[in-house]
Amino acid sequence: MNWHTHDITNQFDELSDYNLFATDAPLREALQRAGAESFMSRLDGYGTALGRAETYALAEQANRCTPELKTFDRRGRRIDEVDFHPSWHTLMAMYRGQGLISMPFGDEQPGRWAAWAAGFYLHGQVEAGTLCPATMTQAAIPLLQKEPALWAQLQDKLYSPDYDPRDVPLADKTSVWIGMGMTEKQGGSDVRANTTMATPVGAGGRGGEYLLRGHKWFFSAPMSDAHLVVACTQEGVPSCFFVPRWRPDGRKNPVQVQRLKGKVGNRSNSSSEVEFQDAYGILMGEEGRGIPTIIEMATYTRLNCVIGSAAILRQGLVQALAYTRQRQAFGRVLAEQPLMRAVLADLALESEAAMVLMMRLAQAYERGDQPAERAWKRVLTPAAKFWVCKRAVELTGEMMEIFGGNGYVDDGIMARLYREAPVNSIWEGSGNVMCLDVMRAIAREPEAALALLDELEREGGDEPRLQAELRVLRDMLATPPEQLEALGRRFAERLVLVAQACLLRRHAPVAVSDGFLQSRFDPHWGRVVGTLVTRGLQVEALLERAYPG
Protein backbone atom coordinates (compact mmCIF):
# COMPACT_ATOMS: atom_id res chain seq x y z
CA MET A 1 0.00 0.00 0.00
CA ASN A 2 1.25 3.50 -0.86
CA TRP A 3 0.77 5.78 2.12
CA HIS A 4 -0.09 9.41 1.52
CA THR A 5 -0.38 11.39 4.72
CA HIS A 6 -0.01 15.03 3.68
CA ASP A 7 0.46 17.49 0.88
CA ILE A 8 3.18 20.15 1.12
CA THR A 9 1.43 23.48 0.85
CA ASN A 10 2.06 26.97 2.21
CA GLN A 11 5.78 26.20 2.50
CA PHE A 12 8.38 28.45 0.86
CA ASP A 13 12.13 28.26 0.57
CA GLU A 14 14.39 31.13 1.51
CA LEU A 15 14.90 33.70 -1.21
CA SER A 16 17.64 33.18 -3.81
CA ASP A 17 18.21 33.83 -7.50
CA TYR A 18 17.85 37.59 -7.22
CA ASN A 19 20.22 40.52 -7.69
CA LEU A 20 21.23 41.82 -4.26
CA PHE A 21 22.36 45.14 -5.72
CA ALA A 22 19.56 45.88 -8.19
CA THR A 23 16.91 45.31 -5.51
CA ASP A 24 18.56 47.69 -3.01
CA ALA A 25 17.49 51.23 -3.93
CA PRO A 26 18.87 52.85 -0.73
CA LEU A 27 22.32 51.40 -1.40
CA ARG A 28 22.37 52.59 -5.00
CA GLU A 29 21.32 56.08 -3.89
CA ALA A 30 24.13 56.15 -1.32
CA LEU A 31 26.69 55.24 -3.98
CA GLN A 32 25.47 58.03 -6.21
CA ARG A 33 25.80 60.52 -3.35
CA ALA A 34 29.37 59.34 -2.82
CA GLY A 35 30.27 59.82 -6.48
CA ALA A 36 30.80 56.10 -7.00
CA GLU A 37 28.82 55.74 -10.23
CA SER A 38 31.82 54.28 -12.06
CA PHE A 39 31.76 51.26 -9.73
CA MET A 40 28.05 50.51 -10.00
CA SER A 41 28.16 48.26 -13.05
CA ARG A 42 30.72 46.03 -11.35
CA LEU A 43 28.66 45.94 -8.16
CA ASP A 44 25.56 45.06 -10.15
CA GLY A 45 27.38 42.07 -11.61
CA TYR A 46 28.57 41.02 -8.17
CA GLY A 47 25.04 41.37 -6.81
CA THR A 48 23.84 38.98 -9.50
CA ALA A 49 26.60 36.44 -8.80
CA LEU A 50 26.07 36.53 -5.04
CA GLY A 51 22.30 36.15 -5.32
CA ARG A 52 22.41 32.91 -7.30
CA ALA A 53 21.10 29.79 -5.61
CA GLU A 54 24.49 28.19 -6.28
CA THR A 55 26.24 30.88 -4.22
CA TYR A 56 23.83 30.44 -1.31
CA ALA A 57 24.58 26.72 -1.53
CA LEU A 58 28.31 27.45 -1.33
CA ALA A 59 27.70 29.51 1.82
CA GLU A 60 25.71 26.69 3.39
CA GLN A 61 28.42 24.14 2.55
CA ALA A 62 31.25 26.30 3.87
CA ASN A 63 29.48 26.64 7.23
CA ARG A 64 28.39 23.01 7.46
CA CYS A 65 31.73 21.50 6.37
CA THR A 66 33.88 23.40 8.82
CA PRO A 67 37.70 23.79 8.73
CA GLU A 68 39.79 20.88 9.99
CA LEU A 69 43.21 21.11 11.63
CA LYS A 70 45.95 18.78 10.44
CA THR A 71 48.74 19.06 12.98
CA PHE A 72 51.04 16.43 11.46
CA ASP A 73 51.52 14.83 8.07
CA ARG A 74 51.43 11.06 7.57
CA ARG A 75 55.07 10.68 8.64
CA GLY A 76 54.77 12.72 11.81
CA ARG A 77 56.18 15.99 10.51
CA ARG A 78 54.60 19.08 12.05
CA ILE A 79 52.61 20.97 9.37
CA ASP A 80 49.89 22.94 11.26
CA GLU A 81 47.61 23.13 8.23
CA VAL A 82 43.92 23.92 8.16
CA ASP A 83 41.84 22.20 5.48
CA PHE A 84 38.82 24.03 4.08
CA HIS A 85 35.89 22.80 2.03
CA PRO A 86 36.19 23.79 -1.66
CA SER A 87 33.22 26.14 -1.19
CA TRP A 88 35.37 28.31 1.10
CA HIS A 89 38.00 28.73 -1.60
CA THR A 90 35.35 29.57 -4.20
CA LEU A 91 33.84 32.29 -2.00
CA MET A 92 37.27 33.69 -1.12
CA ALA A 93 38.17 33.83 -4.81
CA MET A 94 34.89 35.58 -5.62
CA TYR A 95 35.57 38.37 -3.13
CA ARG A 96 39.23 38.76 -4.02
CA GLY A 97 38.42 38.81 -7.71
CA GLN A 98 36.35 41.97 -7.26
CA GLY A 99 39.46 43.89 -6.21
CA LEU A 100 37.81 44.73 -2.90
CA ILE A 101 40.86 44.01 -0.73
CA SER A 102 42.83 46.97 -2.03
CA MET A 103 40.06 49.15 -3.49
CA PRO A 104 40.18 51.83 -0.76
CA PHE A 105 43.98 52.20 -1.05
CA GLY A 106 44.89 51.33 -4.63
CA ASP A 107 44.19 54.74 -6.18
CA GLU A 108 42.49 58.08 -5.56
CA GLN A 109 39.35 57.42 -7.58
CA PRO A 110 36.35 59.20 -6.00
CA GLY A 111 33.82 56.92 -4.37
CA ARG A 112 36.25 54.05 -3.86
CA TRP A 113 35.53 53.71 -0.14
CA ALA A 114 31.78 53.73 -0.72
CA ALA A 115 32.15 51.14 -3.50
CA TRP A 116 34.27 48.93 -1.27
CA ALA A 117 31.73 49.23 1.56
CA ALA A 118 28.94 48.28 -0.83
CA GLY A 119 30.85 45.22 -2.07
CA PHE A 120 31.62 44.12 1.49
CA TYR A 121 27.97 44.68 2.40
CA LEU A 122 26.73 42.59 -0.51
CA HIS A 123 29.11 39.69 0.20
CA GLY A 124 28.29 39.75 3.92
CA GLN A 125 24.63 39.15 3.18
CA VAL A 126 25.45 35.72 1.77
CA GLU A 127 28.55 34.52 3.66
CA ALA A 128 30.30 36.35 6.48
CA GLY A 129 33.14 34.05 7.53
CA THR A 130 35.16 34.73 4.38
CA LEU A 131 35.15 38.42 5.28
CA CYS A 132 37.33 37.85 8.37
CA PRO A 133 40.61 37.32 6.48
CA ALA A 134 39.53 39.96 3.96
CA THR A 135 38.99 42.50 6.77
CA MET A 136 42.36 41.88 8.38
CA THR A 137 44.22 41.95 5.09
CA GLN A 138 42.66 45.23 4.04
CA ALA A 139 43.26 46.83 7.47
CA ALA A 140 46.92 45.79 7.39
CA ILE A 141 47.62 47.70 4.16
CA PRO A 142 47.92 51.24 5.64
CA LEU A 143 50.20 49.88 8.39
CA LEU A 144 52.44 48.01 5.98
CA GLN A 145 52.67 51.05 3.72
CA LYS A 146 54.67 52.72 6.51
CA GLU A 147 57.34 49.97 6.41
CA PRO A 148 59.26 50.49 3.13
CA ALA A 149 61.05 47.13 3.04
CA LEU A 150 57.96 45.09 3.79
CA TRP A 151 55.79 47.17 1.47
CA ALA A 152 58.16 46.70 -1.45
CA GLN A 153 57.90 42.95 -0.87
CA LEU A 154 54.14 42.80 -0.40
CA GLN A 155 52.46 45.60 -2.37
CA ASP A 156 51.78 43.69 -5.58
CA LYS A 157 50.64 40.62 -3.64
CA LEU A 158 48.25 42.64 -1.49
CA TYR A 159 46.81 44.50 -4.45
CA SER A 160 46.44 41.39 -6.60
CA PRO A 161 42.86 40.27 -7.43
CA ASP A 162 44.10 36.69 -7.86
CA TYR A 163 43.32 34.09 -5.23
CA ASP A 164 46.32 31.98 -4.27
CA PRO A 165 45.46 29.39 -1.58
CA ARG A 166 48.87 27.67 -1.64
CA ASP A 167 50.76 27.24 1.62
CA VAL A 168 54.15 28.36 0.34
CA PRO A 169 56.68 31.09 1.27
CA LEU A 170 55.75 34.72 0.62
CA ALA A 171 58.16 35.07 -2.27
CA ASP A 172 56.32 32.33 -4.19
CA LYS A 173 52.80 33.69 -3.69
CA THR A 174 50.87 35.72 -6.28
CA SER A 175 48.60 37.17 -3.58
CA VAL A 176 48.65 37.10 0.20
CA TRP A 177 46.35 37.25 3.21
CA ILE A 178 47.24 38.91 6.51
CA GLY A 179 45.83 37.88 9.90
CA MET A 180 46.01 39.24 13.44
CA GLY A 181 47.37 37.84 16.71
CA MET A 182 46.54 40.12 19.62
CA THR A 183 44.42 38.36 22.24
CA GLU A 184 45.88 36.37 25.11
CA LYS A 185 43.87 34.42 27.65
CA GLN A 186 44.77 36.59 30.64
CA GLY A 187 44.03 39.93 28.97
CA GLY A 188 41.36 39.73 26.28
CA SER A 189 40.82 43.27 25.06
CA ASP A 190 43.49 44.48 27.50
CA VAL A 191 46.41 44.03 25.12
CA ARG A 192 48.74 45.74 27.61
CA ALA A 193 48.45 42.60 29.74
CA ASN A 194 50.08 40.47 27.02
CA THR A 195 53.04 38.33 28.07
CA THR A 196 54.33 37.05 24.70
CA MET A 197 57.99 38.10 24.51
CA ALA A 198 60.07 39.20 21.52
CA THR A 199 63.88 38.93 21.69
CA PRO A 200 65.99 40.75 19.10
CA VAL A 201 68.29 38.85 16.77
CA GLY A 202 71.22 41.22 16.66
CA ALA A 203 70.60 44.94 17.11
CA GLY A 204 66.83 44.76 16.70
CA GLY A 205 64.94 48.00 16.23
CA ARG A 206 62.48 49.00 13.52
CA GLY A 207 62.66 46.55 10.63
CA GLY A 208 64.89 44.27 12.71
CA GLU A 209 64.48 40.54 13.28
CA TYR A 210 63.09 39.13 16.53
CA LEU A 211 62.17 35.74 17.95
CA LEU A 212 58.72 35.52 19.56
CA ARG A 213 57.86 33.16 22.40
CA GLY A 214 54.41 32.92 23.94
CA HIS A 215 50.78 32.04 23.32
CA LYS A 216 47.74 33.60 21.67
CA TRP A 217 44.25 32.66 22.84
CA PHE A 218 42.62 33.88 19.60
CA PHE A 219 44.69 33.80 16.44
CA SER A 220 42.49 34.71 13.51
CA ALA A 221 42.75 32.80 10.23
CA PRO A 222 45.92 30.78 11.00
CA MET A 223 46.42 29.85 7.33
CA SER A 224 47.09 33.50 6.48
CA ASP A 225 50.47 34.14 4.88
CA ALA A 226 51.48 36.41 7.76
CA HIS A 227 50.07 37.89 10.94
CA LEU A 228 50.48 41.16 12.74
CA VAL A 229 51.27 40.17 16.32
CA VAL A 230 51.58 42.16 19.55
CA ALA A 231 54.46 41.04 21.78
CA CYS A 232 56.56 42.68 24.48
CA THR A 233 60.21 43.52 23.90
CA GLN A 234 62.86 43.08 26.56
CA GLU A 235 61.90 46.48 27.96
CA GLY A 236 58.43 45.07 28.64
CA VAL A 237 56.64 47.39 26.22
CA PRO A 238 54.05 46.08 23.71
CA SER A 239 55.26 46.26 20.12
CA CYS A 240 53.90 45.12 16.77
CA PHE A 241 55.58 42.42 14.67
CA PHE A 242 55.11 41.04 11.18
CA VAL A 243 55.18 37.25 11.59
CA PRO A 244 55.15 35.29 8.30
CA ARG A 245 53.96 31.69 8.04
CA TRP A 246 57.29 30.77 6.43
CA ARG A 247 60.72 32.00 7.45
CA PRO A 248 62.92 33.71 4.81
CA ASP A 249 65.15 30.61 4.68
CA GLY A 250 62.24 28.48 3.46
CA ARG A 251 61.49 26.73 6.75
CA LYS A 252 58.03 26.77 8.33
CA ASN A 253 57.89 29.40 11.05
CA PRO A 254 57.32 27.69 14.45
CA VAL A 255 53.84 29.09 15.08
CA GLN A 256 52.16 25.91 16.29
CA VAL A 257 48.38 25.67 16.07
CA GLN A 258 47.17 24.02 19.26
CA ARG A 259 43.52 23.79 18.34
CA LEU A 260 40.73 25.44 16.35
CA LYS A 261 37.98 27.19 18.26
CA GLY A 262 34.50 25.67 18.22
CA LYS A 263 32.46 28.84 17.77
CA VAL A 264 28.77 29.69 18.01
CA GLY A 265 28.84 31.09 14.48
CA ASN A 266 31.41 32.23 11.92
CA ARG A 267 31.92 28.52 11.37
CA SER A 268 33.31 28.68 7.85
CA ASN A 269 36.28 30.68 9.15
CA SER A 270 39.07 29.21 11.28
CA SER A 271 40.01 30.78 14.60
CA SER A 272 42.75 29.17 16.63
CA GLU A 273 45.03 29.07 19.63
CA VAL A 274 48.72 29.09 18.79
CA GLU A 275 52.06 28.88 20.50
CA PHE A 276 55.13 30.79 19.33
CA GLN A 277 58.26 28.71 19.77
CA ASP A 278 60.86 31.34 18.91
CA ALA A 279 58.89 32.34 15.83
CA TYR A 280 60.55 34.73 13.39
CA GLY A 281 59.13 38.25 13.27
CA ILE A 282 59.99 41.75 12.04
CA LEU A 283 59.38 44.80 14.22
CA MET A 284 56.91 47.25 12.67
CA GLY A 285 57.32 50.84 13.80
CA GLU A 286 59.23 51.71 16.93
CA GLU A 287 59.49 49.60 20.06
CA GLY A 288 56.68 50.36 22.47
CA ARG A 289 54.30 51.56 19.75
CA GLY A 290 52.37 48.30 19.47
CA ILE A 291 49.17 49.59 21.04
CA PRO A 292 48.86 52.72 18.83
CA THR A 293 49.66 50.56 15.78
CA ILE A 294 46.93 48.08 16.62
CA ILE A 295 44.45 50.85 17.44
CA GLU A 296 45.07 52.27 13.97
CA MET A 297 44.35 48.88 12.45
CA ALA A 298 41.28 48.44 14.66
CA THR A 299 39.85 51.72 13.42
CA TYR A 300 39.47 50.05 10.03
CA THR A 301 38.36 46.62 11.26
CA ARG A 302 35.68 48.17 13.47
CA LEU A 303 34.18 49.86 10.43
CA ASN A 304 34.05 46.41 8.81
CA CYS A 305 32.15 45.11 11.84
CA VAL A 306 29.55 47.85 11.35
CA ILE A 307 29.17 46.99 7.68
CA GLY A 308 29.05 43.26 8.40
CA SER A 309 26.22 43.74 10.90
CA ALA A 310 24.36 46.03 8.50
CA ALA A 311 24.68 43.26 5.90
CA ILE A 312 23.14 40.74 8.30
CA LEU A 313 20.27 43.13 9.01
CA ARG A 314 19.70 43.63 5.29
CA GLN A 315 19.69 39.93 4.45
CA GLY A 316 17.36 39.08 7.32
CA LEU A 317 14.99 41.84 6.28
CA VAL A 318 14.88 40.77 2.64
CA GLN A 319 14.35 37.13 3.58
CA ALA A 320 11.57 38.11 5.98
CA LEU A 321 9.80 40.26 3.39
CA ALA A 322 10.02 37.60 0.68
CA TYR A 323 8.71 34.94 3.05
CA THR A 324 5.83 36.90 4.60
CA ARG A 325 4.61 37.96 1.16
CA GLN A 326 3.98 34.27 0.38
CA ARG A 327 3.18 32.57 3.67
CA GLN A 328 -0.44 32.55 4.85
CA ALA A 329 -1.74 32.28 8.40
CA PHE A 330 -5.30 32.55 9.68
CA GLY A 331 -6.57 32.96 6.13
CA ARG A 332 -4.39 35.94 5.17
CA VAL A 333 -0.94 36.55 3.77
CA LEU A 334 1.39 37.39 6.65
CA ALA A 335 2.71 40.60 5.10
CA GLU A 336 -0.83 42.00 4.97
CA GLN A 337 -1.51 41.53 8.68
CA PRO A 338 -1.17 44.67 10.84
CA LEU A 339 1.06 43.23 13.57
CA MET A 340 3.45 41.68 11.05
CA ARG A 341 3.54 44.90 9.07
CA ALA A 342 4.58 46.76 12.22
CA VAL A 343 7.44 44.29 12.73
CA LEU A 344 8.53 44.49 9.10
CA ALA A 345 8.38 48.29 9.06
CA ASP A 346 10.53 48.43 12.21
CA LEU A 347 13.09 46.10 10.63
CA ALA A 348 13.09 48.10 7.39
CA LEU A 349 13.80 51.34 9.25
CA GLU A 350 16.61 49.72 11.21
CA SER A 351 18.22 48.27 8.12
CA GLU A 352 18.25 51.49 6.10
CA ALA A 353 19.49 53.50 9.09
CA ALA A 354 22.41 51.08 9.55
CA MET A 355 23.27 51.24 5.85
CA VAL A 356 23.16 55.03 5.57
CA LEU A 357 25.41 55.35 8.63
CA MET A 358 27.96 52.83 7.36
CA MET A 359 28.15 54.64 4.02
CA ARG A 360 28.65 58.00 5.71
CA LEU A 361 31.46 56.51 7.79
CA ALA A 362 33.07 55.07 4.65
CA GLN A 363 33.06 58.54 3.10
CA ALA A 364 34.80 59.91 6.19
CA TYR A 365 37.63 57.42 5.67
CA GLU A 366 37.98 58.46 2.03
CA ARG A 367 38.19 62.14 2.95
CA GLY A 368 41.23 61.54 5.13
CA ASP A 369 41.99 63.47 8.29
CA GLN A 370 40.05 66.61 7.53
CA PRO A 371 38.93 68.05 10.87
CA ALA A 372 35.27 67.71 9.98
CA GLU A 373 35.73 63.98 9.33
CA ARG A 374 37.90 63.01 12.30
CA ALA A 375 34.99 62.81 14.72
CA TRP A 376 33.07 60.52 12.35
CA LYS A 377 36.06 58.17 12.34
CA ARG A 378 37.24 58.48 15.93
CA VAL A 379 33.93 58.93 17.76
CA LEU A 380 31.14 57.58 15.57
CA THR A 381 32.94 54.46 14.32
CA PRO A 382 33.14 52.84 17.78
CA ALA A 383 29.69 54.19 18.66
CA ALA A 384 28.27 52.67 15.47
CA LYS A 385 30.02 49.38 16.16
CA PHE A 386 28.45 49.32 19.61
CA TRP A 387 24.91 50.11 18.41
CA VAL A 388 24.59 48.51 14.98
CA CYS A 389 26.26 45.26 16.06
CA LYS A 390 24.10 45.06 19.18
CA ARG A 391 20.97 45.64 17.11
CA ALA A 392 21.94 42.86 14.73
CA VAL A 393 22.14 40.42 17.64
CA GLU A 394 18.65 41.37 18.84
CA LEU A 395 16.96 41.69 15.47
CA THR A 396 18.20 38.42 13.98
CA GLY A 397 16.23 36.68 16.72
CA GLU A 398 13.13 38.57 15.63
CA MET A 399 13.81 37.78 11.98
CA MET A 400 14.20 34.10 12.79
CA GLU A 401 10.89 34.16 14.65
CA ILE A 402 9.13 35.44 11.53
CA PHE A 403 9.89 32.06 9.96
CA GLY A 404 8.55 30.22 13.00
CA GLY A 405 9.93 26.73 13.49
CA ASN A 406 11.41 26.80 9.99
CA GLY A 407 13.65 29.66 11.08
CA TYR A 408 14.96 27.68 14.03
CA VAL A 409 16.12 24.78 11.90
CA ASP A 410 19.90 24.81 11.92
CA ASP A 411 20.48 24.37 8.20
CA GLY A 412 18.50 27.44 7.15
CA ILE A 413 19.73 30.93 6.31
CA MET A 414 17.99 32.56 9.28
CA ALA A 415 19.72 30.30 11.79
CA ARG A 416 23.09 31.11 10.24
CA LEU A 417 22.42 34.86 10.45
CA TYR A 418 21.40 34.44 14.09
CA ARG A 419 24.58 32.54 14.94
CA GLU A 420 26.74 34.94 12.97
CA ALA A 421 25.50 38.21 14.46
CA PRO A 422 27.28 38.18 17.87
CA VAL A 423 30.80 37.94 16.45
CA ASN A 424 30.77 41.53 15.17
CA SER A 425 29.70 42.78 18.59
CA ILE A 426 32.54 40.88 20.31
CA TRP A 427 35.40 40.95 17.79
CA GLU A 428 37.62 44.05 17.79
CA GLY A 429 36.29 45.10 21.18
CA SER A 430 33.05 44.35 23.01
CA GLY A 431 30.30 46.88 23.64
CA ASN A 432 31.84 48.32 26.78
CA VAL A 433 35.22 48.68 25.09
CA MET A 434 33.58 50.59 22.23
CA CYS A 435 31.80 52.96 24.59
CA LEU A 436 35.02 53.56 26.52
CA ASP A 437 36.74 54.33 23.22
CA VAL A 438 34.01 56.86 22.42
CA MET A 439 34.64 58.54 25.77
CA ARG A 440 38.42 58.50 25.28
CA ALA A 441 38.15 59.96 21.78
CA ILE A 442 35.98 62.79 23.12
CA ALA A 443 38.40 63.44 25.99
CA ARG A 444 41.37 63.60 23.60
CA GLU A 445 39.64 65.80 21.02
CA PRO A 446 36.70 67.58 22.68
CA GLU A 447 36.65 70.18 19.93
CA ALA A 448 36.09 67.47 17.32
CA ALA A 449 33.18 66.05 19.30
CA LEU A 450 31.59 69.49 19.61
CA ALA A 451 32.13 70.08 15.89
CA LEU A 452 30.30 66.81 15.21
CA LEU A 453 27.35 67.93 17.31
CA ASP A 454 27.38 71.27 15.50
CA GLU A 455 27.22 69.43 12.15
CA LEU A 456 24.35 67.25 13.34
CA GLU A 457 22.55 70.32 14.62
CA ARG A 458 22.76 71.89 11.17
CA GLU A 459 21.58 68.65 9.56
CA GLY A 460 18.71 68.40 12.02
CA GLY A 461 17.42 71.82 11.06
CA ASP A 462 14.31 72.87 12.92
CA GLU A 463 13.23 69.33 13.83
CA PRO A 464 12.39 69.70 17.56
CA ARG A 465 13.03 66.06 18.53
CA LEU A 466 16.53 66.14 17.07
CA GLN A 467 17.35 69.48 18.63
CA ALA A 468 16.17 68.23 22.01
CA GLU A 469 18.37 65.12 21.73
CA LEU A 470 21.38 67.19 20.73
CA ARG A 471 20.89 69.40 23.81
CA VAL A 472 20.89 66.26 25.96
CA LEU A 473 24.13 65.08 24.34
CA ARG A 474 25.79 68.44 24.95
CA ASP A 475 24.70 68.35 28.58
CA MET A 476 26.12 64.84 28.93
CA LEU A 477 29.49 66.02 27.64
CA ALA A 478 29.57 68.48 30.52
CA THR A 479 29.27 65.60 33.01
CA PRO A 480 32.42 64.92 35.09
CA PRO A 481 34.51 62.19 33.39
CA GLU A 482 34.14 59.69 36.22
CA GLN A 483 30.35 59.95 35.93
CA LEU A 484 30.23 60.10 32.13
CA GLU A 485 32.03 56.75 31.82
CA ALA A 486 29.12 54.99 33.49
CA LEU A 487 26.80 56.64 30.95
CA GLY A 488 28.88 55.46 28.01
CA ARG A 489 26.28 53.11 26.57
CA ARG A 490 23.50 55.64 26.89
CA PHE A 491 25.62 58.34 25.23
CA ALA A 492 26.71 56.09 22.34
CA GLU A 493 23.14 54.92 21.69
CA ARG A 494 21.72 58.43 21.63
CA LEU A 495 24.56 59.74 19.47
CA VAL A 496 24.07 57.02 16.86
CA LEU A 497 20.30 57.46 16.75
CA VAL A 498 20.67 61.20 16.23
CA ALA A 499 23.28 60.66 13.50
CA GLN A 500 21.07 58.12 11.73
CA ALA A 501 18.04 60.39 11.99
CA CYS A 502 19.94 63.35 10.55
CA LEU A 503 21.30 61.26 7.67
CA LEU A 504 17.88 59.86 6.83
CA ARG A 505 16.28 63.28 7.10
CA ARG A 506 18.72 64.59 4.54
CA HIS A 507 18.87 61.66 2.14
CA ALA A 508 15.89 59.29 2.50
CA PRO A 509 12.28 59.65 1.36
CA VAL A 510 9.83 61.17 3.81
CA ALA A 511 8.29 57.76 4.51
CA VAL A 512 11.64 56.57 5.89
CA SER A 513 12.85 59.71 7.67
CA ASP A 514 9.50 60.45 9.32
CA GLY A 515 9.08 56.81 10.26
CA PHE A 516 12.49 56.77 11.92
CA LEU A 517 11.91 60.00 13.80
CA GLN A 518 8.42 59.03 14.91
CA SER A 519 9.53 55.64 16.22
CA ARG A 520 13.10 56.06 17.51
CA PHE A 521 12.32 59.15 19.55
CA ASP A 522 9.13 57.73 21.04
CA PRO A 523 9.97 57.02 24.72
CA HIS A 524 8.26 53.63 24.47
CA TRP A 525 10.14 52.48 21.37
CA GLY A 526 12.77 49.78 21.38
CA ARG A 527 11.68 47.43 24.12
CA VAL A 528 10.37 44.92 21.58
CA VAL A 529 10.61 45.03 17.79
CA GLY A 530 7.34 46.04 16.17
CA THR A 531 5.95 48.14 19.01
CA LEU A 532 6.18 51.31 16.92
CA VAL A 533 2.89 53.05 16.19
CA THR A 534 2.12 52.55 12.50
CA ARG A 535 -0.71 55.05 12.44
CA GLY A 536 0.51 57.83 10.16
CA LEU A 537 3.45 55.78 8.83
CA GLN A 538 3.64 54.99 5.12
CA VAL A 539 4.16 51.30 5.80
CA GLU A 540 3.63 50.06 2.26
CA ALA A 541 6.10 52.60 0.90
CA LEU A 542 8.65 51.51 3.52
CA LEU A 543 8.32 47.83 2.66
CA GLU A 544 8.30 48.35 -1.09
CA ARG A 545 11.44 50.47 -0.86
CA ALA A 546 13.17 47.86 1.32
CA TYR A 547 12.55 45.06 -1.18
CA PRO A 548 10.18 45.42 -4.14
CA GLY A 549 7.37 42.92 -3.88
Side-chain angles (χ1 to χ4, degrees), residues 4 18 23 35 45 64 89 138 183 203 210 239 249 296 320 369 428 441 475 477 498-499 520 523 529 532:
H4 183 76
Y18 74 106
T23 53
R64 176 169 46 84
H89 295 293
Q138 176 200 331
T183 306
Y210 287 73
S239 304
D249 61 10
E296 179 182 348
D369 253 2
E428 294 305 299
D475 290 343
L477 287 180
V498 167
R520 272 54 183 170
V529 174
L532 77 175

Side-chain angles (χ1 to χ4, degrees), residues 442 446-460 466-480 484 487 490-491 494-495 498:
I442 291 171
E447 68 287 347
L450 292 173
L452 174 62
L453 295 183
D454 290 341
E455 178 183 342
L456 294 175
E457 187 173 326
R458 292 191 297 272
E459 294 289 340
L466 290 178
Q467 296 303 327
E469 280 296 302
L470 286 163
R471 284 193 295 273
V472 170
L473 289 170
R474 289 184 187 276
D475 290 343
M476 291 178 75
L477 287 180
T479 306
L484 184 58
L487 299 173
R490 182 181 290 262
F491 182 88
R494 298 182 86 148
L495 177 63
V498 167

Side-chain angles (χ1 to χ4, degrees), residues 66-379:
T66 56
E68 296 182 358
L69 174 62
K70 290 188 175 181
T71 308
F72 301 95
D73 70 7
R74 287 174 295 182
R75 296 296 180 263
R77 291 179 286 262
R78 186 94 193 197
I79 56 174
D80 295 293
E81 290 183 356
V82 180
D83 271 356
F84 293 87
H85 190 270
S87 56
W88 166 270
H89 295 293
T90 302
L91 290 162
M92 290 277 280
M94 285 179 66
Y95 186 85
R96 184 116 205 182
Q98 296 297 311
L100 291 163
I101 297 292
S102 61
M103 186 178 286
F105 306 109
D107 57 41
E108 297 298 317
Q109 188 172 353
R112 63 192 182 281
W113 273 91
W116 157 76
F120 192 97
Y121 177 71
L122 293 172
H123 190 102
Q125 293 178 44
V126 179
E127 209 292 303
T130 40
L131 292 177
C132 177
T135 289
M136 295 183 294
T137 303
Q138 176 200 331
I141 288 176
L143 277 65
L144 290 166
Q145 286 175 331
K146 298 177 181 179
E147 307 299 324
L150 282 173
W151 185 243
Q153 180 186 2
L154 297 172
Q155 177 179 0
D156 291 344
K157 303 175 192 296
L158 287 166
Y159 283 2
S160 173
D162 296 331
Y163 176 60
D164 185 351
R166 296 175 300 155
D167 184 19
V168 295
L170 282 170
D172 299 326
K173 296 292 295 277
T174 59
S175 66
V176 295
W177 300 91
I178 309 294
M180 295 168 64
M182 313 301 166
T183 306
E184 298 184 9
K185 62 173 77 73
Q186 75 283 352
S189 295
D190 184 7
V191 181
R192 295 184 188 278
N194 283 6
T195 60
T196 297
M197 294 298 299
T199 304
V201 178
R206 186 169 191 168
E209 299 178 357
Y210 287 73
L211 297 180
L212 278 66
R213 183 177 298 181
H215 179 269
K216 292 296 177 183
W217 188 238
F218 277 95
F219 195 70
S220 297
M223 287 302 291
S224 297
D225 299 288
H227 285 76
L228 303 190
V229 175
V230 171
C232 294
T233 58
Q234 291 174 314
E235 288 71 25
V237 291
S239 304
C240 184
F241 296 86
F242 178 85
V243 180
R245 184 162 166 79
W246 293 79
R247 295 168 58 96
D249 61 10
R251 291 181 294 157
K252 184 69 69 68
N253 209 5
V255 180
Q256 295 194 350
V257 181
Q258 295 183 315
R259 64 168 175 167
L260 300 184
K261 299 287 193 179
K263 297 169 292 183
V264 172
N266 203 246
R267 294 177 180 176
S268 66
N269 177 46
S270 61
S271 302
S272 64
E273 295 172 33
V274 301
E275 190 170 81
F276 302 116
Q277 299 185 352
D278 286 342
Y280 170 90
I282 299 172
L283 177 63
M284 295 179 60
E286 303 298 332
E287 284 194 20
R289 296 291 297 169
I291 303 300
T293 299
I294 294 312
I295 288 175
E296 179 182 348
M297 188 174 186
T299 301
Y300 295 101
T301 54
R302 288 169 178 175
L303 173 61
N304 291 46
C305 290
V306 176
I307 301 171
S309 290
I312 289 172
L313 289 170
R314 170 68 186 173
Q315 179 65 191
L317 169 65
V318 170
Q319 292 292 342
L321 284 168
Y323 185 74
T324 56
R325 286 167 175 164
Q326 301 173 87
R327 176 83 170 177
Q328 291 195 5
F330 310 110
R332 297 173 64 189
V333 174
L334 279 173
E336 296 175 356
Q337 300 190 29
L339 266 179
M340 181 58 73
R341 289 170 70 80
V343 170
L344 294 171
D346 213 347
L347 296 175
L349 290 168
E350 193 75 34
S351 176
E352 183 159 350
M355 186 281 299
V356 75
L357 178 59
M358 84 180 196
M359 294 297 277
R360 175 62 182 88
L361 290 171
Q363 286 183 272
Y365 282 73
E366 180 169 322
R367 292 167 182 169
D369 253 2
Q370 299 176 24
E373 305 300 326
R374 283 183 62 81
W376 284 93
K377 292 191 288 186
R378 304 292 191 264
V379 178

